[in-house]
Short mmCIF file of all heavy atoms in Angstrom, two decimals:
data_model
loop_
_atom_site.label_atom_id
_atom_site.label_comp_id
_atom_site.label_asym_id
_atom_site.label_seq_id
_atom_site.Cartn_x
_atom_site.Cartn_y
_atom_site.Cartn_z
N ILE A 1 0.88 -1.14 0.04
CA ILE A 1 -0.03 -0.03 0.04
C ILE A 1 0.91 1.29 -0.02
O ILE A 1 1.83 1.29 0.85
CB ILE A 1 -0.93 0.05 1.22
CG1 ILE A 1 -1.86 -1.20 1.19
CG2 ILE A 1 -1.79 1.31 1.27
CD1 ILE A 1 -2.70 -1.33 2.44
N VAL A 2 0.67 2.15 -0.93
CA VAL A 2 1.39 3.36 -1.07
C VAL A 2 0.46 4.55 -0.85
O VAL A 2 -0.61 4.55 -1.44
CB VAL A 2 2.01 3.42 -2.42
CG1 VAL A 2 2.87 4.75 -2.59
CG2 VAL A 2 3.02 2.24 -2.69
N GLU A 3 0.97 5.49 -0.11
CA GLU A 3 0.17 6.70 0.16
C GLU A 3 0.86 7.79 -0.47
O GLU A 3 2.05 7.98 -0.43
CB GLU A 3 0.03 6.92 1.70
CG GLU A 3 -0.63 8.24 2.09
CD GLU A 3 -0.58 8.52 3.55
OE1 GLU A 3 -0.11 7.65 4.38
OE2 GLU A 3 -1.05 9.58 3.94
N ALA A 4 0.12 8.72 -1.18
CA ALA A 4 0.62 9.86 -1.91
C ALA A 4 -0.25 11.02 -1.74
O ALA A 4 -1.49 10.96 -1.88
CB ALA A 4 0.85 9.50 -3.28
N GLU A 5 0.36 12.18 -1.48
CA GLU A 5 -0.33 13.53 -1.46
C GLU A 5 0.08 14.34 -2.55
O GLU A 5 1.37 14.53 -2.68
CB GLU A 5 -0.27 14.12 -0.10
CG GLU A 5 -1.28 15.25 0.00
CD GLU A 5 -1.60 15.66 1.45
OE1 GLU A 5 -1.25 14.87 2.31
OE2 GLU A 5 -2.06 16.84 1.60
N ILE A 6 -0.71 14.79 -3.40
CA ILE A 6 -0.38 15.57 -4.70
C ILE A 6 -0.64 17.00 -4.48
O ILE A 6 -1.71 17.33 -3.99
CB ILE A 6 -1.14 14.95 -5.83
CG1 ILE A 6 -1.11 13.44 -5.87
CG2 ILE A 6 -0.66 15.59 -7.18
CD1 ILE A 6 0.27 12.83 -5.87
N LYS A 7 0.30 17.83 -4.92
CA LYS A 7 0.07 19.26 -4.90
C LYS A 7 -1.06 19.63 -5.94
O LYS A 7 -1.16 19.07 -6.96
CB LYS A 7 1.36 19.96 -5.30
CG LYS A 7 2.45 19.82 -4.35
CD LYS A 7 3.71 20.56 -4.76
CE LYS A 7 4.81 20.38 -3.78
NZ LYS A 7 6.07 21.08 -4.20
N GLU A 8 -1.91 20.53 -5.52
CA GLU A 8 -3.10 20.85 -6.38
C GLU A 8 -2.69 21.29 -7.76
O GLU A 8 -3.33 20.97 -8.76
CB GLU A 8 -3.95 21.86 -5.69
CG GLU A 8 -4.78 21.37 -4.51
CD GLU A 8 -5.64 22.42 -3.91
OE1 GLU A 8 -6.22 23.26 -4.65
OE2 GLU A 8 -5.88 22.35 -2.69
N GLU A 9 -1.61 21.96 -7.84
CA GLU A 9 -1.15 22.57 -9.16
C GLU A 9 -0.53 21.42 -10.01
O GLU A 9 -0.39 21.57 -11.27
CB GLU A 9 -0.17 23.73 -8.99
CG GLU A 9 1.09 23.33 -8.33
CD GLU A 9 1.09 23.50 -6.74
OE1 GLU A 9 0.01 23.61 -6.08
OE2 GLU A 9 2.18 23.54 -6.19
N ARG A 10 -0.24 20.23 -9.49
CA ARG A 10 0.29 19.16 -10.18
C ARG A 10 -0.74 18.01 -10.55
O ARG A 10 -0.43 17.03 -11.06
CB ARG A 10 1.40 18.59 -9.48
CG ARG A 10 2.65 19.45 -9.18
CD ARG A 10 3.37 19.84 -10.43
NE ARG A 10 3.74 18.82 -11.34
CZ ARG A 10 4.81 18.05 -11.33
NH1 ARG A 10 5.63 18.25 -10.42
NH2 ARG A 10 5.01 17.16 -12.25
N MET A 11 -2.02 18.24 -10.08
CA MET A 11 -3.06 17.24 -10.22
C MET A 11 -3.23 16.77 -11.56
O MET A 11 -3.33 15.54 -11.82
CB MET A 11 -4.35 17.79 -9.55
CG MET A 11 -5.39 16.70 -9.42
SD MET A 11 -4.92 15.34 -8.27
CE MET A 11 -4.87 16.13 -6.77
N ASP A 12 -3.44 17.60 -12.54
CA ASP A 12 -3.62 17.14 -13.88
C ASP A 12 -2.51 16.30 -14.40
O ASP A 12 -2.70 15.17 -14.98
CB ASP A 12 -3.87 18.33 -14.89
CG ASP A 12 -5.11 19.05 -14.71
OD1 ASP A 12 -6.07 18.48 -14.02
OD2 ASP A 12 -5.24 20.26 -15.06
N ASP A 13 -1.20 16.66 -14.11
CA ASP A 13 -0.06 15.85 -14.55
C ASP A 13 -0.11 14.56 -13.83
O ASP A 13 0.14 13.43 -14.37
CB ASP A 13 1.24 16.54 -14.25
CG ASP A 13 1.45 17.75 -15.07
OD1 ASP A 13 0.87 17.90 -16.17
OD2 ASP A 13 2.19 18.65 -14.62
N PHE A 14 -0.34 14.50 -12.57
CA PHE A 14 -0.48 13.30 -11.73
C PHE A 14 -1.46 12.30 -12.24
O PHE A 14 -1.26 11.18 -12.47
CB PHE A 14 -0.72 13.65 -10.27
CG PHE A 14 -1.07 12.37 -9.55
CD1 PHE A 14 -0.03 11.52 -9.18
CD2 PHE A 14 -2.41 12.10 -9.08
CE1 PHE A 14 -0.34 10.35 -8.44
CE2 PHE A 14 -2.68 10.94 -8.42
CZ PHE A 14 -1.68 10.07 -8.06
N LEU A 15 -2.78 12.87 -12.56
CA LEU A 15 -3.85 11.99 -13.02
C LEU A 15 -3.50 11.26 -14.26
O LEU A 15 -3.77 10.10 -14.54
CB LEU A 15 -5.09 12.80 -13.07
CG LEU A 15 -5.67 13.24 -11.75
CD1 LEU A 15 -6.90 14.16 -11.91
CD2 LEU A 15 -6.01 12.05 -10.84
N GLU A 16 -2.84 12.08 -15.27
CA GLU A 16 -2.43 11.47 -16.40
C GLU A 16 -1.36 10.42 -16.24
O GLU A 16 -1.43 9.31 -16.78
CB GLU A 16 -1.94 12.55 -17.36
CG GLU A 16 -1.44 12.00 -18.77
CD GLU A 16 -1.00 13.18 -19.68
OE1 GLU A 16 -1.41 14.33 -19.44
OE2 GLU A 16 -0.11 12.82 -20.49
N MET A 17 -0.39 10.68 -15.40
CA MET A 17 0.69 9.78 -15.05
C MET A 17 0.21 8.50 -14.44
O MET A 17 0.61 7.38 -14.77
CB MET A 17 1.79 10.49 -14.21
CG MET A 17 3.02 9.65 -13.79
SD MET A 17 2.73 8.48 -12.43
CE MET A 17 2.25 9.54 -11.15
N ILE A 18 -0.68 8.68 -13.41
CA ILE A 18 -1.07 7.52 -12.70
C ILE A 18 -2.03 6.63 -13.46
O ILE A 18 -1.97 5.37 -13.30
CB ILE A 18 -1.69 7.88 -11.32
CG1 ILE A 18 -1.70 6.70 -10.34
CG2 ILE A 18 -3.07 8.40 -11.49
CD1 ILE A 18 -0.35 6.04 -10.01
N GLU A 19 -2.85 7.12 -14.32
CA GLU A 19 -3.50 6.33 -15.20
C GLU A 19 -2.70 5.44 -16.14
O GLU A 19 -2.99 4.19 -16.28
CB GLU A 19 -4.47 7.15 -16.11
CG GLU A 19 -5.35 6.39 -17.01
CD GLU A 19 -6.38 7.26 -17.88
OE1 GLU A 19 -6.39 8.47 -17.65
OE2 GLU A 19 -6.93 6.65 -18.77
N ASN A 20 -1.68 6.02 -16.68
CA ASN A 20 -0.73 5.26 -17.52
C ASN A 20 0.02 4.19 -16.67
O ASN A 20 0.13 3.06 -17.05
CB ASN A 20 0.34 6.16 -18.21
CG ASN A 20 1.21 5.41 -19.01
OD1 ASN A 20 0.92 4.83 -20.03
ND2 ASN A 20 2.53 5.47 -18.71
N ASN A 21 0.45 4.63 -15.52
CA ASN A 21 1.15 3.75 -14.60
C ASN A 21 0.36 2.46 -14.23
O ASN A 21 0.86 1.36 -14.28
CB ASN A 21 1.64 4.48 -13.38
CG ASN A 21 2.65 3.65 -12.42
OD1 ASN A 21 3.08 2.63 -12.86
ND2 ASN A 21 2.81 4.18 -11.23
N ALA A 22 -0.90 2.76 -13.83
CA ALA A 22 -1.78 1.65 -13.37
C ALA A 22 -2.08 0.74 -14.62
O ALA A 22 -1.97 -0.50 -14.43
CB ALA A 22 -3.11 2.28 -12.87
N LYS A 23 -2.34 1.27 -15.73
CA LYS A 23 -2.62 0.49 -16.97
C LYS A 23 -1.40 -0.41 -17.32
O LYS A 23 -1.65 -1.60 -17.42
CB LYS A 23 -2.95 1.34 -18.11
CG LYS A 23 -3.36 0.65 -19.35
CD LYS A 23 -3.56 1.50 -20.56
CE LYS A 23 -3.85 0.71 -21.72
NZ LYS A 23 -3.40 1.35 -22.97
N LYS A 24 -0.28 0.17 -17.35
CA LYS A 24 0.97 -0.55 -17.71
C LYS A 24 1.29 -1.59 -16.58
O LYS A 24 1.79 -2.64 -16.81
CB LYS A 24 2.07 0.36 -17.97
CG LYS A 24 1.87 1.27 -19.18
CD LYS A 24 1.94 0.57 -20.41
CE LYS A 24 2.00 1.48 -21.63
NZ LYS A 24 2.00 0.98 -22.84
N SER A 25 1.11 -1.24 -15.33
CA SER A 25 1.50 -2.05 -14.23
C SER A 25 0.60 -3.39 -14.22
O SER A 25 1.03 -4.50 -14.06
CB SER A 25 1.37 -1.40 -12.86
OG SER A 25 2.19 -0.30 -12.67
N ARG A 26 -0.65 -3.16 -14.54
CA ARG A 26 -1.64 -4.26 -14.67
C ARG A 26 -1.26 -5.23 -15.81
O ARG A 26 -1.60 -6.42 -15.81
CB ARG A 26 -2.99 -3.79 -14.87
CG ARG A 26 -3.60 -3.09 -13.60
CD ARG A 26 -4.95 -2.47 -13.92
NE ARG A 26 -5.40 -1.59 -12.78
CZ ARG A 26 -5.95 -0.41 -12.88
NH1 ARG A 26 -6.12 0.04 -14.11
NH2 ARG A 26 -6.26 0.29 -11.83
N GLU A 27 -0.49 -4.73 -16.77
CA GLU A 27 -0.10 -5.53 -17.88
C GLU A 27 1.15 -6.44 -17.51
O GLU A 27 1.46 -7.35 -18.28
CB GLU A 27 0.15 -4.75 -19.15
CG GLU A 27 -1.06 -4.04 -19.76
CD GLU A 27 -0.81 -3.16 -20.78
OE1 GLU A 27 0.43 -2.78 -21.11
OE2 GLU A 27 -1.71 -2.56 -21.35
N GLU A 28 1.89 -6.07 -16.49
CA GLU A 28 3.03 -6.79 -16.07
C GLU A 28 2.65 -8.23 -15.70
O GLU A 28 1.65 -8.53 -15.03
CB GLU A 28 3.66 -6.19 -14.85
CG GLU A 28 4.31 -4.82 -15.27
CD GLU A 28 4.82 -4.11 -14.06
OE1 GLU A 28 5.31 -4.74 -13.07
OE2 GLU A 28 4.76 -2.87 -13.99
N SER A 29 3.43 -9.20 -16.00
CA SER A 29 3.21 -10.59 -15.81
C SER A 29 3.00 -10.93 -14.25
O SER A 29 2.25 -11.78 -13.92
CB SER A 29 4.15 -11.60 -16.48
OG SER A 29 5.48 -11.43 -15.89
N GLY A 30 3.69 -10.36 -13.48
CA GLY A 30 3.72 -10.63 -12.10
C GLY A 30 2.66 -9.84 -11.27
O GLY A 30 2.58 -9.90 -9.99
N CYS A 31 1.98 -8.92 -11.93
CA CYS A 31 0.98 -8.04 -11.19
C CYS A 31 -0.29 -8.75 -11.00
O CYS A 31 -0.93 -9.17 -11.96
CB CYS A 31 0.85 -6.69 -11.90
SG CYS A 31 -0.36 -5.60 -11.08
N ILE A 32 -0.76 -8.89 -9.76
CA ILE A 32 -2.12 -9.44 -9.61
C ILE A 32 -3.14 -8.38 -9.51
O ILE A 32 -4.29 -8.58 -9.82
CB ILE A 32 -2.00 -10.24 -8.25
CG1 ILE A 32 -1.05 -11.45 -8.39
CG2 ILE A 32 -3.40 -10.76 -7.78
CD1 ILE A 32 -0.70 -12.23 -7.23
N ARG A 33 -2.80 -7.25 -8.86
CA ARG A 33 -3.74 -6.16 -8.72
C ARG A 33 -3.00 -4.87 -8.55
O ARG A 33 -1.93 -4.73 -7.90
CB ARG A 33 -4.59 -6.48 -7.34
CG ARG A 33 -5.69 -5.52 -7.15
CD ARG A 33 -6.42 -5.93 -5.90
NE ARG A 33 -7.65 -5.16 -5.95
CZ ARG A 33 -8.85 -5.63 -6.30
NH1 ARG A 33 -9.01 -6.88 -6.54
NH2 ARG A 33 -9.93 -4.96 -6.27
N PHE A 34 -3.63 -3.80 -9.12
CA PHE A 34 -3.15 -2.41 -8.92
C PHE A 34 -4.26 -1.52 -8.94
O PHE A 34 -4.90 -1.21 -9.97
CB PHE A 34 -2.12 -2.19 -10.10
CG PHE A 34 -1.28 -0.88 -9.93
CD1 PHE A 34 0.06 -0.98 -9.60
CD2 PHE A 34 -1.95 0.40 -10.01
CE1 PHE A 34 0.83 0.11 -9.47
CE2 PHE A 34 -1.16 1.51 -9.80
CZ PHE A 34 0.21 1.41 -9.48
N ASP A 35 -4.63 -1.03 -7.81
CA ASP A 35 -5.73 -0.17 -7.61
C ASP A 35 -5.26 1.26 -7.26
O ASP A 35 -4.39 1.41 -6.36
CB ASP A 35 -6.75 -0.67 -6.50
CG ASP A 35 -7.35 -1.96 -6.92
OD1 ASP A 35 -7.56 -2.25 -8.05
OD2 ASP A 35 -7.64 -2.68 -5.89
N VAL A 36 -5.88 2.28 -7.81
CA VAL A 36 -5.63 3.66 -7.40
C VAL A 36 -6.92 4.23 -6.69
O VAL A 36 -7.94 4.15 -7.38
CB VAL A 36 -5.36 4.55 -8.71
CG1 VAL A 36 -5.02 5.98 -8.21
CG2 VAL A 36 -4.07 3.92 -9.40
N LEU A 37 -6.80 4.63 -5.47
CA LEU A 37 -7.94 5.06 -4.72
C LEU A 37 -7.70 6.53 -4.31
O LEU A 37 -6.60 6.83 -3.86
CB LEU A 37 -8.10 4.14 -3.49
CG LEU A 37 -8.04 2.64 -3.70
CD1 LEU A 37 -7.82 1.89 -2.47
CD2 LEU A 37 -9.35 2.20 -4.41
N ARG A 38 -8.77 7.26 -4.45
CA ARG A 38 -8.72 8.69 -3.96
C ARG A 38 -9.38 8.81 -2.67
O ARG A 38 -10.53 8.28 -2.54
CB ARG A 38 -9.41 9.54 -5.00
CG ARG A 38 -9.16 11.03 -4.89
CD ARG A 38 -9.72 11.80 -6.11
NE ARG A 38 -8.97 13.04 -6.23
CZ ARG A 38 -9.11 13.85 -7.28
NH1 ARG A 38 -9.90 13.52 -8.25
NH2 ARG A 38 -8.48 14.98 -7.29
N ASP A 39 -8.67 9.42 -1.75
CA ASP A 39 -9.23 9.57 -0.36
C ASP A 39 -10.48 10.40 -0.43
O ASP A 39 -10.51 11.50 -1.05
CB ASP A 39 -8.18 10.24 0.53
CG ASP A 39 -8.43 10.16 1.94
OD1 ASP A 39 -9.43 10.68 2.44
OD2 ASP A 39 -7.64 9.55 2.66
N GLN A 40 -11.52 10.02 0.23
CA GLN A 40 -12.72 10.70 0.20
C GLN A 40 -12.81 11.99 1.14
O GLN A 40 -13.56 12.87 0.91
CB GLN A 40 -13.96 9.80 0.64
CG GLN A 40 -14.20 8.77 -0.37
CD GLN A 40 -15.36 7.84 -0.01
OE1 GLN A 40 -15.93 7.89 1.15
NE2 GLN A 40 -15.84 7.03 -0.93
N SER A 41 -11.91 12.02 2.03
CA SER A 41 -11.82 13.19 3.02
C SER A 41 -10.81 14.27 2.54
O SER A 41 -10.86 15.26 3.01
CB SER A 41 -11.53 12.73 4.34
OG SER A 41 -10.22 12.13 4.42
N LYS A 42 -9.90 13.92 1.53
CA LYS A 42 -8.93 14.90 1.06
C LYS A 42 -8.71 14.54 -0.34
O LYS A 42 -8.02 13.59 -0.75
CB LYS A 42 -7.75 14.79 1.91
CG LYS A 42 -6.76 15.90 1.65
CD LYS A 42 -5.61 15.87 2.62
CE LYS A 42 -4.84 17.18 2.48
NZ LYS A 42 -3.77 17.21 3.50
N ALA A 43 -9.07 15.48 -1.32
CA ALA A 43 -9.02 15.11 -2.68
C ALA A 43 -7.68 15.08 -3.29
O ALA A 43 -7.41 14.57 -4.42
CB ALA A 43 -9.87 16.27 -3.48
N THR A 44 -6.71 15.58 -2.59
CA THR A 44 -5.27 15.53 -3.05
C THR A 44 -4.50 14.33 -2.60
O THR A 44 -3.30 14.11 -2.87
CB THR A 44 -4.55 16.78 -2.69
OG1 THR A 44 -4.59 16.91 -1.15
CG2 THR A 44 -5.07 17.98 -3.27
N LYS A 45 -5.16 13.44 -1.80
CA LYS A 45 -4.56 12.22 -1.22
C LYS A 45 -5.06 11.00 -2.01
O LYS A 45 -6.22 10.82 -2.20
CB LYS A 45 -4.82 12.14 0.22
CG LYS A 45 -4.10 11.11 0.98
CD LYS A 45 -4.48 11.16 2.46
CE LYS A 45 -3.33 10.61 3.32
NZ LYS A 45 -3.72 10.75 4.78
N PHE A 46 -4.07 10.13 -2.32
CA PHE A 46 -4.33 8.95 -3.05
C PHE A 46 -3.68 7.75 -2.30
O PHE A 46 -2.63 7.91 -1.58
CB PHE A 46 -3.70 9.04 -4.46
CG PHE A 46 -4.59 9.99 -5.36
CD1 PHE A 46 -4.28 11.25 -5.23
CD2 PHE A 46 -5.56 9.53 -6.22
CE1 PHE A 46 -5.12 12.25 -6.02
CE2 PHE A 46 -6.27 10.43 -7.01
CZ PHE A 46 -5.96 11.81 -6.85
N TRP A 47 -4.17 6.55 -2.60
CA TRP A 47 -3.61 5.32 -2.09
C TRP A 47 -3.52 4.36 -3.28
O TRP A 47 -4.42 4.26 -4.07
CB TRP A 47 -4.63 4.72 -0.99
CG TRP A 47 -4.87 5.57 0.12
CD1 TRP A 47 -5.87 6.55 0.20
CD2 TRP A 47 -4.09 5.69 1.33
NE1 TRP A 47 -5.81 7.17 1.46
CE2 TRP A 47 -4.77 6.68 2.14
CE3 TRP A 47 -3.14 4.86 1.86
CZ2 TRP A 47 -4.30 6.91 3.40
CZ3 TRP A 47 -2.70 5.18 3.16
CH2 TRP A 47 -3.25 6.18 3.95
N PHE A 48 -2.36 3.72 -3.41
CA PHE A 48 -2.17 2.69 -4.45
C PHE A 48 -2.15 1.27 -3.66
O PHE A 48 -1.36 1.17 -2.78
CB PHE A 48 -0.85 2.90 -5.10
CG PHE A 48 -0.65 4.24 -5.63
CD1 PHE A 48 0.68 4.88 -5.51
CD2 PHE A 48 -1.69 5.06 -6.09
CE1 PHE A 48 0.83 6.23 -5.98
CE2 PHE A 48 -1.53 6.40 -6.51
CZ PHE A 48 -0.23 6.93 -6.42
N TYR A 49 -3.05 0.45 -4.05
CA TYR A 49 -3.01 -0.91 -3.50
C TYR A 49 -2.51 -1.70 -4.58
O TYR A 49 -3.10 -2.06 -5.62
CB TYR A 49 -4.47 -1.27 -3.09
CG TYR A 49 -4.65 -2.65 -2.53
CD1 TYR A 49 -4.12 -2.88 -1.22
CD2 TYR A 49 -5.17 -3.66 -3.27
CE1 TYR A 49 -4.28 -4.19 -0.72
CE2 TYR A 49 -5.27 -4.87 -2.71
CZ TYR A 49 -4.83 -5.16 -1.45
OH TYR A 49 -4.94 -6.41 -0.90
N GLU A 50 -1.30 -2.31 -4.26
CA GLU A 50 -0.59 -3.11 -5.37
C GLU A 50 -0.38 -4.55 -4.80
O GLU A 50 0.13 -4.66 -3.53
CB GLU A 50 0.82 -2.48 -5.62
CG GLU A 50 0.70 -1.03 -6.13
CD GLU A 50 2.01 -0.26 -6.34
OE1 GLU A 50 2.95 -1.00 -6.84
OE2 GLU A 50 2.08 0.94 -5.99
N VAL A 51 -0.65 -5.57 -5.55
CA VAL A 51 -0.34 -6.90 -5.17
C VAL A 51 0.41 -7.57 -6.30
O VAL A 51 0.01 -7.48 -7.49
CB VAL A 51 -1.66 -7.71 -4.94
CG1 VAL A 51 -1.35 -9.12 -4.56
CG2 VAL A 51 -2.56 -6.93 -3.91
N TYR A 52 1.53 -8.10 -5.97
CA TYR A 52 2.43 -8.87 -6.86
C TYR A 52 2.62 -10.30 -6.50
O TYR A 52 2.54 -10.57 -5.30
CB TYR A 52 3.78 -8.08 -7.11
CG TYR A 52 3.58 -6.75 -7.82
CD1 TYR A 52 3.25 -5.60 -7.13
CD2 TYR A 52 3.82 -6.74 -9.16
CE1 TYR A 52 3.08 -4.38 -7.83
CE2 TYR A 52 3.64 -5.53 -9.84
CZ TYR A 52 3.26 -4.35 -9.15
OH TYR A 52 3.10 -3.21 -9.77
N GLU A 53 3.02 -11.16 -7.45
CA GLU A 53 3.12 -12.56 -7.19
C GLU A 53 4.22 -12.83 -6.12
O GLU A 53 4.24 -13.71 -5.28
CB GLU A 53 3.49 -13.31 -8.49
CG GLU A 53 2.26 -13.47 -9.35
CD GLU A 53 2.51 -14.17 -10.53
OE1 GLU A 53 3.67 -14.59 -10.77
OE2 GLU A 53 1.64 -14.33 -11.33
N ASN A 54 5.35 -11.97 -6.25
CA ASN A 54 6.55 -12.22 -5.48
C ASN A 54 7.41 -11.01 -5.42
O ASN A 54 7.15 -10.11 -6.22
CB ASN A 54 7.22 -13.53 -5.85
CG ASN A 54 7.57 -13.53 -7.33
OD1 ASN A 54 7.97 -12.49 -7.93
ND2 ASN A 54 7.37 -14.64 -7.95
N THR A 55 8.50 -11.06 -4.74
CA THR A 55 9.47 -9.96 -4.68
C THR A 55 10.07 -9.79 -6.06
O THR A 55 10.48 -8.52 -6.34
CB THR A 55 10.45 -10.05 -3.54
OG1 THR A 55 11.23 -11.30 -3.67
CG2 THR A 55 9.82 -10.03 -2.21
N ASP A 56 10.29 -10.77 -6.80
CA ASP A 56 10.91 -10.59 -8.19
C ASP A 56 10.04 -9.71 -8.97
O ASP A 56 10.49 -8.89 -9.72
CB ASP A 56 11.20 -11.96 -8.76
CG ASP A 56 12.32 -12.68 -8.18
OD1 ASP A 56 13.08 -12.07 -7.45
OD2 ASP A 56 12.38 -13.98 -8.32
N ALA A 57 8.69 -9.97 -8.94
CA ALA A 57 7.78 -9.07 -9.64
C ALA A 57 7.78 -7.70 -9.21
O ALA A 57 7.66 -6.83 -10.11
CB ALA A 57 6.38 -9.74 -9.52
N VAL A 58 7.89 -7.51 -7.92
CA VAL A 58 8.05 -6.11 -7.40
C VAL A 58 9.24 -5.43 -7.94
O VAL A 58 9.26 -4.24 -8.36
CB VAL A 58 7.87 -6.09 -5.82
CG1 VAL A 58 8.20 -4.63 -5.33
CG2 VAL A 58 6.65 -6.60 -5.40
N ASP A 59 10.37 -6.15 -7.82
CA ASP A 59 11.68 -5.73 -8.24
C ASP A 59 11.61 -5.30 -9.78
O ASP A 59 12.09 -4.19 -10.16
CB ASP A 59 12.84 -6.61 -7.99
CG ASP A 59 13.06 -6.87 -6.49
OD1 ASP A 59 12.60 -5.93 -5.68
OD2 ASP A 59 13.64 -7.80 -6.20
N HIS A 60 11.00 -6.16 -10.56
CA HIS A 60 10.88 -5.87 -11.99
C HIS A 60 10.01 -4.59 -12.18
O HIS A 60 10.36 -3.78 -13.03
CB HIS A 60 10.21 -7.05 -12.73
CG HIS A 60 9.86 -6.68 -14.12
ND1 HIS A 60 10.77 -6.46 -15.08
CD2 HIS A 60 8.60 -6.40 -14.68
CE1 HIS A 60 10.17 -6.14 -16.28
NE2 HIS A 60 8.87 -6.09 -15.98
N HIS A 61 8.88 -4.51 -11.48
CA HIS A 61 8.02 -3.37 -11.60
C HIS A 61 8.75 -2.09 -11.39
O HIS A 61 8.64 -1.04 -12.07
CB HIS A 61 6.95 -3.47 -10.51
CG HIS A 61 6.03 -2.22 -10.44
ND1 HIS A 61 5.30 -1.80 -11.42
CD2 HIS A 61 5.87 -1.47 -9.42
CE1 HIS A 61 4.55 -0.70 -10.97
NE2 HIS A 61 5.03 -0.49 -9.79
N LYS A 62 9.73 -2.01 -10.38
CA LYS A 62 10.49 -0.85 -10.06
C LYS A 62 11.47 -0.41 -11.12
O LYS A 62 12.04 0.71 -11.13
CB LYS A 62 11.11 -0.99 -8.69
CG LYS A 62 10.13 -1.09 -7.59
CD LYS A 62 10.86 -1.27 -6.29
CE LYS A 62 9.87 -1.27 -5.09
NZ LYS A 62 10.41 -1.42 -3.83
N THR A 63 11.65 -1.36 -12.11
CA THR A 63 12.68 -1.00 -13.19
C THR A 63 11.93 -0.48 -14.50
O THR A 63 12.56 -0.01 -15.39
CB THR A 63 13.46 -2.21 -13.61
OG1 THR A 63 12.61 -3.16 -14.28
CG2 THR A 63 14.19 -2.77 -12.46
N THR A 64 10.69 -0.45 -14.49
CA THR A 64 9.88 -0.09 -15.56
C THR A 64 9.80 1.42 -15.82
O THR A 64 9.86 2.18 -14.88
CB THR A 64 8.46 -0.67 -15.62
OG1 THR A 64 7.73 -0.19 -14.58
CG2 THR A 64 8.42 -2.22 -15.49
N SER A 65 9.62 1.81 -17.02
CA SER A 65 9.60 3.29 -17.35
C SER A 65 8.35 3.92 -16.80
O SER A 65 8.38 5.14 -16.24
CB SER A 65 9.68 3.57 -18.81
OG SER A 65 8.62 2.92 -19.55
N HIS A 66 7.23 3.27 -16.78
CA HIS A 66 6.03 3.82 -16.18
C HIS A 66 6.16 3.98 -14.69
O HIS A 66 5.62 4.86 -14.05
CB HIS A 66 4.77 2.93 -16.55
CG HIS A 66 4.79 1.53 -16.21
ND1 HIS A 66 5.27 0.61 -17.08
CD2 HIS A 66 4.45 0.87 -15.04
CE1 HIS A 66 5.22 -0.68 -16.54
NE2 HIS A 66 4.76 -0.55 -15.33
N TYR A 67 6.82 3.07 -13.94
CA TYR A 67 7.08 3.22 -12.52
C TYR A 67 8.01 4.47 -12.33
O TYR A 67 7.76 5.28 -11.49
CB TYR A 67 7.72 2.03 -11.95
CG TYR A 67 8.18 2.20 -10.43
CD1 TYR A 67 7.27 1.94 -9.47
CD2 TYR A 67 9.44 2.59 -10.19
CE1 TYR A 67 7.66 2.05 -8.12
CE2 TYR A 67 9.84 2.76 -8.88
CZ TYR A 67 8.98 2.46 -7.87
OH TYR A 67 9.30 2.61 -6.49
N GLN A 68 9.12 4.53 -13.12
CA GLN A 68 10.01 5.67 -13.00
C GLN A 68 9.30 7.02 -13.18
O GLN A 68 9.92 8.03 -12.60
CB GLN A 68 11.14 5.44 -13.99
CG GLN A 68 11.99 4.14 -13.78
CD GLN A 68 12.72 4.07 -12.54
OE1 GLN A 68 13.19 5.11 -12.10
NE2 GLN A 68 12.86 2.99 -11.91
N SER A 69 8.31 7.10 -13.97
CA SER A 69 7.69 8.45 -14.26
C SER A 69 7.07 8.91 -13.04
O SER A 69 6.76 10.02 -12.84
CB SER A 69 6.62 8.28 -15.47
OG SER A 69 5.59 7.61 -15.02
#
C-alpha cells in the first residue's frame, strides 16, 4: 500500500501519469492487482493498493519506465 499526497497545481499531470502507470502495471506478468484510490476526505490524497506474485515481480516493476515516471 502506497500513500501519496499531490500538490493541487500538479493534479492534472499526476492523474495522467497514474492512469498510465496503473494500466501498464496491470499488464506486467507478475502483477495481480493495482488499484488507485482517491481519499474521500482529502481530494489531493491517493492510495495505491498493489499486489504482486513475489518480490521478483515487485523488483521488476520498479525498473519499468511507467514506474520511473
